[in-house]
Amino acid sequence: GVQTCALPIVGTLTNEIYVPDRWINSVQATLSHRLAMQIPGVDQGRIQYLENLSEKYFMQANNEERDKSPIYFQPNISYYTR
């Protein structure tokens, strides 16, 4: 199963994996695409649509893999300006 929560629960061993919410659509679209390729009789247009959807959701989720905390750099060049 897929578990979606704010924090992973450590030590429960329930055969569930923690998937961040931003990845749920990507996982679903990728699984749909792979399943459509294995089922006989699925229209090629549908398979192409699911492939494009899978790539789109993957890119969206992957672009969110960053630290959104503010960063402030204050260089100390006093050693070089004496």
Side-chain angles (χ1 to χ4, degrees):
V2 176
Q3 174 182 346
T4 59
C5 65
L7 297 173
I9 300 169
V10 178
T12 57
L13 301 177
T14 59
N15 290 331
E16 294 181 353
I17 59 171
Y18 169 70
V19 177
D21 290 341
R22 65 184 167 274
W23 283 99
I24 298 294
N25 288 338
S26 177
V27 170
Q28 288 175 340
T30 301
L31 291 174
S32 297
H33 173 243
R34 289 184 177 195
L35 188 60
M37 288 191 305
Q38 293 179 1
I39 297 174
V42 176
D43 181 49
Q44 286 295 333
R46 171 75 52 134
I47 292 174
Q48 185 62 43
Y49 170 75
L50 291 172
E51 182 179 12
N52 293 339
L53 198 63
S54 173
E55 291 173 4
K56 172 187 162 189
Y57 285 138
F58 176 80
M59 291 302 295
Q60 286 178 351
N62 196 38
N63 287 339
E64 287 298 315
E65 285 294 317
R66 57 191 166 86
D67 184 5
K68 296 180 185 177
S69 61
I71 298 174
Y72 177 71
F73 294 103
Q74 183 176 8
N76 184 2
I77 61 170
S78 62
Y79 298 107
Y80 304 107
T81 58
R82 290 183 179 190

